[in-house]
Amino acid sequence: MHTTKALAEANRLMTVCNSCRYCEGLCAVFPAMEMRRSFADGDLNYLANLCHSCGGCYIDCQFTAPHEFDVNVPRTLAIVRSESYAAHVWPQAMSGVFRRNGLVISLLTAATISAFFIGMMLVHSSGGMFRAYADADGSFYALMPHNVMAGVFTAVSAVAALAMVLSIRNFWRAAGTSLPIAMAPADIWQAIRDAATMRYLEGGGQGCYEDEAVGTDNRRFYHHLTFYGFMLCFASTSVATSYHYLLGMEAPYPWYDLPVVLGTIGGIGLLIGPVGLLLAKKKRDPMVQDDSFRGMEVGFIVMLFLTSLTGLALMLMRETAAMGVLLALHLGIVAALFLTMPYGKFMHGLYRFTALVRYSAERRLHM
Amino acid sequence: MEEQRQDYDVLVIGGGNAALCAAIAARSAGASVLVLEAATKFYRGGNTRHTRNMRCAHDRATETLSGPYTEEEFWDDLLRVTGGETNEDLARHMIHQSKAMLGWIAKQGVRFQPSLGGTLSLGRTNSFFLGGGRSMLNALYKTAGGLGVDVLYEAEVVELEIEDGFFCSATYMHNGERRNVGARSLVAAAGGFESNIEWLKEGWGEIADNFLIRGTSNNRGTVLRMLLDNGVDRIGDPTQCHAVAIDARAPKFDGGIITRLDCVVFGIVVNKLSQRFYDEGEDIWPKRYAIWGRLVAAQPDQIAYIIFDSPSLRRFMPSLYPPIEASTIEELAGKLGLDPAALARTVGDFNAAVQPGTFNDAILDDCRTEGLTPPKSHWAQKIETVPFYAYPVRPGITFTYMGVRVNKQARMIMADGRPAANMFAAGEIMAGNVLGRGYAAGIGMTVGSVFGKISGEGAAGNAHN
Ligand SMILES: Cc1cc2nc3c(=O)[nH]c(=O)nc-3n(C[C@H](O)[C@H](O)[C@H](O)COP(=O)(O)OP(=O)(O)OC[C@H]3O[C@@H](n4cnc5c(N)ncnc54)[C@H](O)[C@@H]3O)c2cc1C
Ligand code: SF4
Ligand code: SF4
């Protein structure tokens, strides 16, 4: 009936929880569960992506091991969630990548692209690659034509975006197996607010579960740094692109200009956030986590960190001889990040957001 | 923990709601407190970990309670469910104290939520714990720990040294060793004796072998027995308890809330002879929920079967085990091990007696039987639409009422009528003082919290004198 062992276990647990419901005040998963009597794979994937893995329902549950009912909702939903990325991915041929998409794949991709850029720079700068360029020389573009850079990134983004949109469409359709809904703009707004605050990471208010005695909120804090850091960097790139095409202003920009300010603040968030998340992961009770997709998770976190690290290094050392290599490295890493996005942990954000939209609509229509 | 002080002001035996409320109250009053809990850390607070709500009087609606519930109304409810078998003085005292309890419990870190989906009838009277009883306990333990209460798990009290109503010390087993600890006052909060089948048999006879125990296997009444043997007065009837009909497939112990079945009012209930034995539609379900354990206990082999048909399947809260399903009544009987002809006859007689009416499970509707014994007074609808379903049920014992007699200070009363010098009791172990019989949802926790706090304060005061 269910396509994987984890889905069958999630189905068993949701049957237990639906007869209990003690956790219904903790997060969105339980009220969404209560709207259903039986759970198809699509329902379970949806519920799993609503779960923020706060761990609240694990410490509150009277039926966790050693009790014979052996209930562990956070861990089971974590496995289902990871599997759900692969189950809905477009193209399906890529579904195997999630389990393997560790650091190695990402780094190899980044290295390959960086090497390509270095080769190009060597050719384009005809021997001037290892020279220091002043900003006034139009430093980056002295080594690489803007059109090449823009062309490569437009192509990479388009491929990634297409894959993401089609994957999310698969997920959205499957999630509607048991409970048909029609989405409204209000639902998107609600989901934006829920996602922006990570409302459901709080386990009903006690903060996410790290140690039974002290509920702490660290994961939310580091996740905010990472998420908003990423968004600021994204904004920085977008502003820079508009400067270039709309205002005809070429990079590099002075330190006080918007792209640099946004990028620097975001970059710092992207340095601290991922490290904090990695440490928090280590500190958490292994009982509420799942290890089988660790590579995918670590891979994504490290790539974010490297993106920021090389970006900041580039900004600081752009007038030195290291600029060329740093630029190639940074662009390689960013391109690899984009390319691997639809096939790794990045997707958790999109699936979760989609699940939150759906949850808002379900509440509106069925509660 | 190894370097425990030898003596404490207050020793609390047990680790549930009653024990923790006592420990927190005693420690807040300045006493040094040791809690001895027989269970492991995971199973601490035996029955409390399975709870979801408590019933407290309140004069106005709150964020989580939909309306006022006055002391007078609480008292009327208690009087009705116990049929007057309660100590009015003590019960009114408890109800009065329950008002302040909501705030006190919240101050200890326990959080509430609006009533759970599927239990909306309790939204005005009962406060539901966010995350359920284990979450509530986690908060109490955290607070107790922060205050400096010492807690020892896997520490079963096996002996009490009591001299003429005066508690001296307790002996407990820990890491396979016998240890002794003295204290100036004792709070006994070690639960009832529901998981002691042999003791249940003293009241019920051999049929108790067929009972399922819904909560912890640790509430064997050992401390209760020691107290009674040491001259504390007994209160209550040994067969009185909270007992409901739960899924017969549930484990012997600790199946908890999820084996509960709320579908009696939607069908008929037959015994192993395929005969009905009680009016399934006598009153709304929350008022009848707690009589079905005793009813099933009175049937042959202590088993019964709830029979209903497909339109009813989604009318009640789901439960752990799926219903047994068949496309004819005879086939269903076969799957249940009942005589197919007999079951078909019972269902046929029932269907023939059903009168036309307008079904409404939110009120006492006019769907009833005519000329049938026993009648089904409400929600009687023909069982005729395939598939047919059945749940086998057995008596599920929640907790026992017989215990030690106490006064308003939660101080134990000796058999000769004198108050004990330094011994207090709270929770199931003294529930019989207010619950002679019957039950209203949430009172178990009220008894534990209110008398827990009173006993902790009393024990601390006692220790200082
Ligand atoms: C499934 C279920 C659901 C329930 N739901 C509700 C509800 O929603 N609302 C409500 O009000 N009531 C409910 N009850 C009843 C409620 O659980 C009890 O009335 C209440 O928890 C009793 O609290 P207590 O502290 O007296 O006992 P417990 O919480 O059972 O604690 C007693 C403790 O004493 C320990 N102990 C026993 N013997 C010894 C010994 N010799 N030495 C040391 N320790 C010992 C046990 O290990 C146990 O942990 C429910 C009960 C069950 C089984
Ligand atoms: S996780 Fe445990 S306590 Fe929470 S709803 Fe499920 S079974 Fe109940
Ligand atoms: S881990 Fe937290 S977010 Fe996930 S289901 Fe449990 S309570 Fe909800």
Side-chain angles (χ1 to χ4, degrees), chain A residues 26-27 29-30 51-57 73-74 77 200:
Chain A
L26 295 183
C27 69
V29 172
F30 298 93
C51 170
H52 288 46
S53 200
C54 76
C57 64
V73 174
L77 293 190
Y200 296 111

Side-chain angles (χ1 to χ4, degrees), chain A residues 290-340:
Chain A
D290 161 51
D291 255 356
S292 43
F293 288 84
R294 182 134 235 159
M296 166 182 93
E297 293 171 357
V298 173
F300 179 57
I301 293 179
V302 171
M303 286 302 282
L304 285 176
F305 179 83
L306 290 178
T307 301
S308 168
L309 188 72
T310 51
L312 289 175
L314 183 61
M315 184 189 71
L316 292 174
M317 302 203 270
R318 65 188 183 203
E319 291 187 289
T320 72
M323 184 271 278
V325 174
L326 278 175
L327 180 65
L329 274 181
H330 182 62
L331 294 180
I333 287 169
V334 174
L337 180 73
F338 273 57
L339 271 180
T340 53

Side-chain angles (χ1 to χ4, degrees), chain A residues 140-212:
Chain A
F140 301 161
Y141 308 120
L143 292 179
M144 187 191 308
H146 183 269
N147 286 343
V148 174
M149 210 179 340
V152 168
F153 278 92
T154 307
V156 165
S157 312
V159 170
L162 179 74
M164 289 192 254
V165 167
L166 292 177
S167 301
I168 290 301
R169 196 179 64 158
N170 288 341
F171 174 71
W172 177 264
R173 285 185 175 161
T177 317
S178 307
L179 205 62
I181 52 147
M183 184 182 71
D187 301 323
I188 296 187
W189 176 230
Q190 181 64 47
I192 288 176
R193 287 190 315 198
D194 292 343
T197 56
M198 299 202 66
R199 176 171 166 194
Y200 296 111
L201 194 59
E202 58 181 8
Q206 70 218 338
C208 73
Y209 166 51
E210 280 176 359
D211 173 68
E212 177 176 7

Side-chain angles (χ1 to χ4, degrees), chain B residues 332-372:
Chain B
L332 191 64
K335 288 187 172 176
L336 300 173
L338 301 178
D339 175 5
L343 186 62
R345 203 172 327 114
T346 298
V347 172
D349 291 350
F350 170 78
N351 285 348
V354 170
Q355 301 301 302
T358 315
F359 180 85
N360 183 344
D361 60 359
I363 56 164
L364 291 171
D365 72 1
D366 61 350
C367 295
R368 54 185 189 82
T369 59
E370 184 71 58
L372 192 70

Side-chain angles (χ1 to χ4, degrees), chain A residues 15-16 18-22 24-25 37 58-69 204-206 212-213, chain B residues 42-44 49-51 111 113 116-117 130-131 134-135 138 142 251 254 257-258 314 316-320:
Chain A
T15 309
V16 172
N18 214 7
S19 334
C20 171
R21 304 190 173 182
Y22 284 11
E24 73 171 17
R37 279 289 171 129
Y58 177 77
I59 24 164
D60 289 352
C61 181
Q62 62 273 32
F63 300 125
T64 52
H67 193 285
E68 63 183 285
F69 293 159
Q206 70 218 338
E212 177 176 7
Chain B
F42 173 74
Y43 280 111
R44 69 187 183 189
R49 51 201 302 293
H50 287 290
T51 63
R111 294 164 308 146
Q113 64 163 83
L116 290 170
L130 181 65
R134 188 163 171 230
S135 172
N138 290 344
K142 184 176 167 186
D254 224 39
I257 196 72
I258 62 181
R314 282 171 165 261
F316 54 92
M317 275 265 291
S319 79
L320 178 60

Side-chain angles (χ1 to χ4, degrees), chain B residues 116-181:
Chain B
L116 290 170
T119 58
L120 298 177
S121 59
L122 296 172
R124 182 172 64 87
T125 55
N126 289 36
S127 298
F128 283 69
F129 309 124
L130 181 65
R134 188 163 171 230
S135 172
M136 186 251 190
L137 270 175
N138 290 344
L140 293 184
Y141 271 95
K142 184 176 167 186
T143 301
L147 288 171
V149 170
D150 284 343
V151 178
L152 213 54
Y153 301 108
E154 301 175 63
E156 184 185 357
V157 171
V158 291
E159 226 176 282
L160 294 177
E161 285 74 43
I162 296 172
E163 280 167 22
D164 194 22
F166 186 89
F167 167 77
C168 307
S169 69
T171 304
Y172 60 97
M173 296 297 295
H174 189 61
N175 292 333
E177 262 176 48
R178 280 173 78 88
R179 295 194 193 173
N180 190 270
V181 61

